Amino acid sequence: MKTKKLAAGILFGMILAVSLVSCGEQPEMKEVPPDNARNGILSQAGALTVLTPQSTGNAVYYPNPDGGVTAMTHQKGAWESDSVLNDAFVLHMDVLGDELICGITEGEALAWYVYDIGTDTKVPLPIPETGAAAEALSDASGICIIGDGLYVMHSYWQGISRIDLTTWECVAFDSETWGRQVFCSADEASFYVTKPLGLEVFDLVSGEKAVYDWSGSDGWLGSANIRSSYLTENGRLYLHIAREDAVVPEEVKRGVLYADTADLAAAPVPLANLGDLPAYAVTGIYGEYDGTLVLTDGDTLYAYDTETDRIADLCALPQTDVICSGAYVLTPTSDGYYVIAEIPGELS
């Protein structure tokens, strides 16, 4: 879920003297995968890449590969673009209230800052210079902020770390993340990592892991793998599954299921339809916003309300990729990003 609960400004001037809870010993260094494999470890309620946008209020922000951060704001019915942090190369970024948490390259190092959107100022992230949290941030291939936790996907060692943004305590999640995307999903107690056939669930305090394999359940569709997953506010983890098999009927190639996070040992529930759209016709799910999934049948983008089972057209599916950022659906262009749809708060 994407709720970011800390108030804006809470990090400014806050340098805490705390005794850190160790992130745990890092596993032995293994042979580093090639760049193209490591670059696939990037994440979010979509995938975190250098260009993944983040939104707050009526604005969308994304790191510009040429330097700085592009700010897209909605003014009088139109979108306007400006740039901030023009003297910085921002490699990682996420929104916290009215601030951006940024990983900025400085020489060969990665420095972490808090950028206040309203005052156009940045200060160092007040993290203790030594300890598990600092070590975790020294090796980041992607980040996401959920609640009061900063989640760090690692490049050179296995796993994911969670840093508490109020105490700087750090806990490690032992998950295989090389060569695949990690979708950032968490609630008050657990962090969820989807695997091709199931789920890894990590306790936010201890880092202990539980593993679930759903491939033998009745609604699984043979050799299908999970292609995407999104956690909604009602505790349902929606799964889009698909199989590579040209000879089977369309009805058994793809499916949408949901798992109840209160009882993950139970088999996921397969859906026959999403509103008026057959579940097998769904070719992709791109994002989630306040319980609404953004999905497609290959031709049209839809908003599907998981609470009311209503579905509404958003627009024709663009030829280029689609990325969701909060209430907006964007597509990349040669000049940056373009907003193609706004996800409605309620579907009628």
Side-chain angles (χ1 to χ4, degrees), residues 15-16 25-26 58 70 82 91 118 149 151 183 201 215 252 285 289 313 315 334:
I15 302 179
L16 301 177
E25 293 183 6
Q26 297 297 343
N58 67 337
T70 297
D82 198 357
L91 187 58
Y151 296 82
F183 298 96
V201 183
S215 59
V252 293
I285 301 179
Y289 175 69
D313 292 12
C315 61
S334 59

Side-chain angles (χ1 to χ4, degrees), residues 283-338:
T283 59
I285 301 179
Y286 296 112
E288 183 271 345
Y289 175 69
D290 280 355
T292 298
L293 297 178
V294 175
L295 50 89
T296 185
D297 59 2
D299 297 315
T300 303
L301 276 176
Y302 301 93
Y304 169 69
D305 190 319
T306 59
E307 297 280 352
T308 64
D309 194 37
R310 292 173 176 166
I311 195 166
D313 292 12
L314 290 178
C315 61
L317 180 66
Q319 296 298 311
T320 52
D321 293 336
V322 173
I323 295 172
C324 293
S325 176
Y328 307 110
V329 186
L330 304 96
T331 188
T333 70
S334 59
D335 298 322
Y337 281 92
Y338 176 68

